[in-house]
Amino acid sequence: MDPLISAFLKGASEKNFQQLAMEFLPQYTALVSKTGGMLSPETLSGIHKGLLEGKLPDVMSHIQEAIHAAENAVLQVAVIGQSGTGKSSFINALRGVSHEAEESADVGTVETTMCKIPYQHPKYPKVIFWDLPGTGTPNFHADTYLDKMAFASYDFFIIISSSRFSLNDALLALKIKDAGKKFYFVRTKVDSDLYSEEKTKPKTFKKENVLQRIRDYCLTNLISIGVTEPHIFLISNFDLDTFDFPKLQETLLKELPGHKRHMFALLLPNISDASLELKKHFLQEKICLEALKSAAVSFIPFMTFFIGFDLPQQEECLKEYRNYFGLDDKSVEEIAERLGTPLEDIKDQLKCLDFWSLVKDDSIITQAKNAAEAFSSVSGGPASSVFQALKVYYRRKQFLNTVADDAKHLLRKMETVNVALANSK
Ligand SMILES: Nc1nc2c(ncn2[C@@H]2O[C@H](COP(=O)(O)OP(=O)(O)OP(=O)(O)O)[C@@H](O)[C@H]2O)c(=O)[nH]1
Ligand SMILES: [Mg+2]
C-alpha cells in the first residue's frame, strides 16, 4: 500500500491529526517525486490546514476539487515557426495522429499553414494545439503578431525551426517572455541532418558530434539575438523516442501547473518504457488521491457512505486505462496490422483485454481485507468502509499495472519489428 494511505489510516484512526499534517507533505512529495504531481501549492496548504485542524470534510473537498480540476483542465499549446519547418508534423506527432489521417494537420512541402488553425486532441478534446501562421512572411511584425494571435490564451509556445532560428522567431521569443509566458525552442529534422552528414562525411561521421554542433549553432544564434539561456530540444518528428523529445516532455510536464500536468501526461505518445512509466506514475497518484478521499470520508461521523465501484464502473475504469496506454480496440487492431500478426494472436497476449479474469482475481479482496483488518485491529476504526475504499484502490492498481505491462510488451514487439525492418533495408 502507498505509505500516504497507510499513514493516513493510522493517523486518522488514532485521531493523531497533528502528526498526519506533519507527514502529509513529505509523503506526497515522495509519491510524486517523478512527476511533480497534480496538487497545487494552494491545495497542499489547504489539505495541511484541514489535517491540522482535524477537519476531514475540508481535506476531502480539497482533494475532490483538485481531481475535478485535473480532469477538466483546458490546455492550449501554440506552435509557431517558419513555413516548412515541421510545425504540422510536430502537432500530428503529439496528437498521435498519422500524417495521412483525415483529422491530421496538413503536412506538405509547400506553404500549407496560412492562418491559425486549432487541432483538438482526438482523445482529449480539451487539449488544443494551435498551428499559427509562419513567422517568415514579409508582413510579419513581432510587435503585433502576439496580440493578433491572442497570445494570452495559450499555456505555452513551441517555437520550431529546422535550420537556424530566424530573427523573427527570436524577437517573438523575447515578446513571449515579456508577456510572462513560457516558450521552448524545438529544432526539427535532425534525422535528415544526420543522414546527410553520414552520406557526405562517412569517415569522420559521429552522431554525437553532429548533434552537439547543431545544438551549439542554435545556442549561439539565439544568444546573439538576445535570448538568454535558451532551452533547445533537437528532435525528429519521425522518430520521437530518440533525440530530445523525451526531455522536452519531461520539461513541459515539470513546468506546467499541477492541474494541467495530469492531462498533458495522459496525452503523451506511448513511445518508450519511460513514457509509459511516467503515465503510470500520474495515474497512480490519482488512484492514491481517490483512495485518500474515500478513506477521509470513512472517518467523518455520519458520513460513512460509500459510492460503489460496481462491475460496470470497473469495466469503464479498465477501458479508460487501456485508452490512456493506446490499447483501446482500434489501436490494438492497428498494432496487429503494423506487426503483421493476426489480431487474435495479439489479443491472446494481452491480459488487459480479459476483464472477467481480472475481476475474478480474489487476491485483491484478500489484500484489501487484510489491510483493513490490520488497521482496525489496532484502532477499532470503521473497518467496513475502509475495506471498501481499499478494494477500489487495489482493483484500480491491478488494472493499471496490467495495462502498463501489456503496453510495454507490445512496445517491445514493435521495437523488434522496427529493428528487423531497418536491417532489411
Ligand atoms: N526528415 C524530416 N522531415 C520532416 C520532419 N518534420 C517535418 N518534416 C517534413 O518537412 C515537410 C514540412 O513539414 P510540415 O509539418 O508541413 O511543416 P509546416 O511547418 O507545418 O509547414 P507550413 O504548414 O507550410 O508552415 C514535410 O515534407 C514533412 O514530412 C522531421 O523531423 N524530419
Ligand atoms: Mg503546417
Side-chain angles (χ1 to χ4, degrees):
M1 200 191 313
D2 287 280
L4 192 67
I5 309 285
S6 42
F8 180 85
L9 291 177
K10 188 169 177 295
S13 61
E14 293 169 3
K15 296 204 184 324
N16 194 348
F17 292 111
Q18 298 272 332
Q19 178 76 12
L20 260 183
M22 231 164 55
E23 285 174 358
F24 183 77
L25 190 59
Q27 268 161 356
Y28 177 73
T29 311
L31 176 75
V32 301
S33 62
K34 294 201 173 68
T35 57
M38 68 162 88
L39 301 185
S40 66
E42 298 75 47
T43 304
L44 285 170
S45 71
I47 294 175
H48 178 82
K49 187 166 176 276
L51 288 172
L52 209 59
E53 295 170 358
K55 290 183 179 160
L56 291 181
D58 287 3
V59 173
M60 190 197 81
S61 61
H62 281 301
I63 298 175
Q64 178 62 44
E65 277 165 25
I67 293 175
H68 181 81
E71 282 174 343
N72 292 287
V74 174
L75 192 63
Q76 309 231 41
V77 181
V79 181
I80 50 182
Q82 299 201 326
S83 176
T85 49
K87 297 183 295 293
S88 302
S89 307
F90 179 78
I91 291 174
N92 287 342
L94 267 184
R95 290 166 72 229
V97 172
S98 88
H99 304 309
E100 288 165 334
E102 258 174 49
E103 70 274 34
S104 73
D106 252 355
V107 174
T109 43
V110 289
E111 193 171 329
T112 45
T113 311
M114 300 305 285
C115 58
K116 74 172 192 173
I117 305 173
Y119 290 95
Q120 231 174 15
H121 193 282
K123 286 186 183 167
Y124 309 96
K126 293 198 174 97
V127 179
I128 297 170
F129 295 94
W130 289 88
D131 194 339
L132 299 193
T135 53
T137 54
N139 46 6
F140 166 84
H141 297 290
D143 285 340
T144 50
Y145 185 88
L146 284 180
D147 279 334
K148 270 197 206 149
M149 293 300 140
F151 74 93
S153 51
Y154 307 112
D155 290 286
F156 59 84
F157 290 77
I158 302 274
I159 304 180
I160 296 203
S161 116
S162 58
S163 52
R164 80 169 67 187
F165 289 98
S166 75
L167 180 62
N168 283 346
D169 291 344
L171 283 174
L172 212 51
L174 296 174
K175 295 262 165 224
I176 294 169
K177 197 171 155 207
D178 287 347
K181 294 269 170 182
K182 292 228 161 76
F183 60 86
Y184 305 88
F185 283 111
V186 169
R187 163 63 159 84
T188 55
K189 306 193 188 180
V190 292
D191 56 315
S192 29
D193 291 277
L194 290 171
Y195 180 82
S196 347
E197 279 285 323
E198 193 171 14
K199 283 277 170 226
T200 50
K201 300 169 192 157
K203 283 194 192 139
T204 53
F205 172 78
K206 269 210 178 84
K207 184 176 163 185
E208 280 320 309
N209 291 353
V210 179
L211 293 176
Q212 191 56 48
R213 221 171 39 240
I214 300 176
R215 206 181 295 281
D216 291 344
Y217 184 75
C218 295
L219 265 173
T220 317
N221 255 290
L222 287 168
I223 291 171
S224 75
I225 295 167
V227 184
T228 46
E229 295 179 28
H231 287 291
I232 297 168
F233 300 90
L234 272 43
I235 71 158
S236 160
N237 283 319
F238 301 158
D239 188 6
L240 290 184
D241 59 336
T242 354
F243 314 114
D244 291 341
F245 187 79
K247 209 170 89 198
L248 173 65
Q249 292 186 160
E250 257 175 56
T251 311
L252 294 176
L253 277 173
K254 227 184 278 161
E255 299 192 354
L256 273 171
H259 69 292
K260 301 217 178 195
R261 215 174 261 157
H262 185 75
M263 181 72 85
F264 191 67
L266 295 183
L267 69 83
L268 291 173
N270 302 305
I271 49 171
S272 62
D273 271 6
S275 57
L276 295 174
E277 274 299 307
L278 203 68
K279 246 177 222 193
K280 197 171 146 184
H281 280 298
F282 269 96
L283 289 163
Q284 258 164 2
E285 179 197 354
K286 194 166 168 223
I287 293 174
C288 198
L289 289 175
E290 298 265 16
L292 203 62
K293 193 186 75 187
S294 308
V297 174
S298 308
F299 287 92
I300 301 172
F302 313 114
M303 210 184 156
T304 49
F305 69 92
F306 183 75
I307 302 161
F309 191 49
D310 58 17
L311 283 173
Q313 284 169 313
Q314 292 184 40
E315 204 165 5
E316 198 46 46
C317 170
L318 180 62
K319 219 165 131 190
E320 214 176 81
Y321 292 163
R322 283 178 48 203
N323 215 4
Y324 294 148
F325 284 86
L327 294 178
D328 49 285
D329 290 342
K330 186 166 164 253
S331 304
V332 172
E333 272 173 37
E334 284 167 5
I335 293 170
E337 205 171 297
R338 264 187 280 156
L339 290 173
T341 310
L343 180 59
E344 285 314 309
D345 289 3
I346 292 291
K347 282 185 168 174
D348 285 346
Q349 296 169 27
L350 301 179
K351 295 195 179 76
C352 70
L353 301 189
D354 193 350
F355 171 70
W356 290 107
S357 342
L358 290 175
V359 290
K360 268 190 208 144
D361 181 355
D362 287 344
S363 65
I364 270 75
I365 315 284
T366 318
Q367 262 177 309
K369 209 168 174 183
N370 290 345
E373 276 169 4
F375 125 86
S376 63
S377 64
V378 185
S379 66
S384 142
S385 51
V386 169
F387 167 54
Q388 296 301 332
L390 290 178
K391 233 170 39 181
V392 180
Y393 166 81
Y394 283 115
R395 183 65 80 203
R396 284 195 173 128
K397 282 194 89 147
Q398 175 207 22
F399 287 163
L400 178 61
N401 290 335
T402 310
V403 173
D405 286 349
D406 282 347
K408 284 183 193 166
H409 170 73
L410 280 193
L411 191 67
R412 203 91 332 109
K413 287 202 150 277
M414 302 279 274
E415 281 165 0
T416 317
V417 168
N418 288 344
V419 169
L421 264 176
N423 289 340
S424 71
K425 273 184 192 160

